[in-house]
Structures are given as C-alpha cells and as structure tokens.
Amino acid sequence: MLLHIPEVLSADQVQQFQNTLNAANWVDGRASVGRQGGRVKQNLQLPDTAPEAVALGKVILLALQNNPVFFAAALPARFMSPMFNKYQNGGHYGFHVDGAVRLIAGQSQSLRTDVSCTLFLSEPEDYEGGELVVSDTYGEHAVKLPAGDLILYPSSSLHKVEPVTGGTRLASFFWIQSMVADDARRTMLYELDKNISQLRDRLGDTPEVIGLTGHYHNLLRQWAL
Ligand code: NI
C-alpha cells in the first residue's frame, strides 16, 4: 500500500524544522548504506546522533502517535528513530531496496523494516525534480508532497529519488516494524478498518458494525506477530 497522509506536521512545525535543519551539520549520505545503495546514492544526511536529528525525531514520533490514519495503516510495533536527508546540486538516490533488518541506534535490538516513510519538509515549489518514485505491481508512482505530509510504502518495494536539479529538498525518512509483516494483509486490515469507521459514522454502533469490528480485531489477532 502506498498511502499519502497529509499534515502530519503543522505549518509552524515545518518552519521550525526548516530553521533547525538549515543550521545543522550535514554529512555524506553514503555513511548509512551497504554497497548496493552506496553506488547509487548521492545526498547529505544528518548523523543519527546529531542533536537536531534526535530532537526533531521525537517531534515526528509524537505527531505519528496522535495520527489515527497512520496507526491504522502501519500497525506499528517498533520504530526506527527518524533520519533526515538533504538533496541539492543534482543529488539523487537511484533504484534500491532498503535493507530488511536494521540495528536500532544505541540498542542491541534490531528492527525488521516492513513500512518505509518519507516525510516531506520542503515545499514542492522550492526545488526542481526530487520526486520519490516507488515501483510496485501497478507500475511506477512519482510522489512529491507538500511540506509536513508523509508517504507510507512497503519497505519491500524498489524506490528511488530523482535528481534535485534546483533548490533544496529536505525530508525525514524512517522505518517501522509492523505488527503485521505482510503488506497485503496490512492493506486489507486498513481497508476494513476504514470502511467500518465510515459505517459507524453513518449508522452508529449497530449490531452489524459491532460484529465487523469484532471481525477486524480477530483478524488482527490472527496475523499480529
Ligand atoms: Ni530507500
């Protein structure tokens, strides 16, 4: 599932993020990838331990915890701390698949990457190019969202960032281990949940709505790891 979640951050928060990130010390993005990624990646990143990354990452995780659409779509079990990147001067990241398992910084635990997220932090009109292109069974989807909006996609998908040929593109990216590893199952649960919510808004808690809600939870109970 490729899902656009609007306004994860407010306009004020976006402004604050831009101010902080514009003053931060960026390093070569190849520091954080394996050999395949390193050959196709040309961008800048904040180190995991940069105080700006730590502070802004917490703001993002808090915003996501209060976002019911995000919760229903990702069914998060564990989060990686959000990371930050910057593309300019032709910076790009060619087609790649994100590593399946990542170590959580500062912990001995690892995380299976089920859901990938990109949170756009620059307005689309502030840079040329820079589309996130996600490839799935329906073809290639180019995504370029307003600052503060998030795109969620399966970590198993091939994706790339087109060259930024003018201006600067700031974004945050991070991974989630979901309670439901399989994207098809997660998508079905999301659709079921969305339809039940709409039925509840229209009809109230009728016996059928309660029955379907029970069905949702019983499926989640079957599939959750
Ligand atoms: Ni990636």
Side-chain angles (χ1 to χ4, degrees), residues 146-181:
D149 286 18
L150 178 138
I151 189 87
L152 174 155
Y153 57 99
S155 301
S156 52
S157 49
L158 211 56
H159 57 279
K160 66 177 174 180
V161 176
E162 296 284 24
V164 172
T165 53
T168 297
R169 175 195 192 269
L170 294 171
S172 174
F173 62 102
F174 49 94
W175 294 274
I176 293 144
Q177 179 170 324
S178 176
M179 291 185 274
V180 177

Side-chain angles (χ1 to χ4, degrees), residues 13-212:
Q13 285 175 316
V14 166
Q15 187 61 58
Q16 199 183 357
F17 271 57
Q18 289 174 354
N19 294 343
T20 304
L21 293 174
N22 285 331
N25 289 317
W26 296 84
V27 299
D28 190 327
R30 278 172 294 197
S32 71
V33 287
R35 277 205 313 210
Q36 191 270 329
R39 276 197 291 271
V40 292
K41 187 175 187 185
Q42 187 200 319
N43 69 357
L44 297 169
Q45 270 175 217
L46 282 190
D48 296 350
T49 52
E52 297 89 347
V54 175
L56 298 181
K58 284 183 184 158
V59 176
I60 293 173
L61 293 183
L62 190 64
L64 292 175
Q65 274 163 28
N66 295 315
N67 191 307
V69 176
F70 171 82
F71 191 90
L75 297 170
R78 289 220 287 272
F79 289 87
M80 283 286 290
S81 298
M83 297 173 73
F84 295 85
N85 58 21
K86 173 163 148 171
Y87 291 83
Q88 56 192 9
N89 303 323
H92 60 273
Y93 195 169
F95 265 130
H96 64 281
V97 173
D98 296 337
V101 176
R102 298 190 70 97
L103 280 176
I104 300 181
Q107 293 184 32
S108 53
Q109 266 189 336
S110 59
L111 171 144
R112 184 190 62 233
T113 57
D114 296 321
V115 176
S116 296
C117 292
T118 296
L119 174 63
F120 288 76
L121 294 171
S122 298
E123 293 299 349
E125 58 272 21
D126 289 345
Y127 57 99
E128 303 288 325
E131 293 84 359
L132 170 71
V133 178
V134 180
S135 175
D136 66 15
T137 49
Y138 297 106
E140 290 187 2
H141 309 275
V143 181
K144 188 167 177 174
L145 299 179
D149 286 18
L150 178 138
I151 189 87
L152 174 155
Y153 57 99
S155 301
S156 52
S157 49
L158 211 56
H159 57 279
K160 66 177 174 180
V161 176
E162 296 284 24
V164 172
T165 53
T168 297
R169 175 195 192 269
L170 294 171
S172 174
F173 62 102
F174 49 94
W175 294 274
I176 293 144
Q177 179 170 324
S178 176
M179 291 185 274
V180 177
D182 181 62
D183 179 59
R185 289 180 173 183
R186 234 176 15 248
T187 304
M188 284 191 278
L189 286 169
Y190 174 70
E191 293 293 336
L192 182 58
D193 183 56
K194 193 171 70 173
N195 281 290
I196 292 171
S197 294
Q198 286 166 359
L199 272 182
R200 179 175 289 115
D201 289 346
R202 205 147 47 141
L203 305 173
D205 272 322
T206 64
E208 294 81 3
V209 168
I210 293 169
L212 285 169

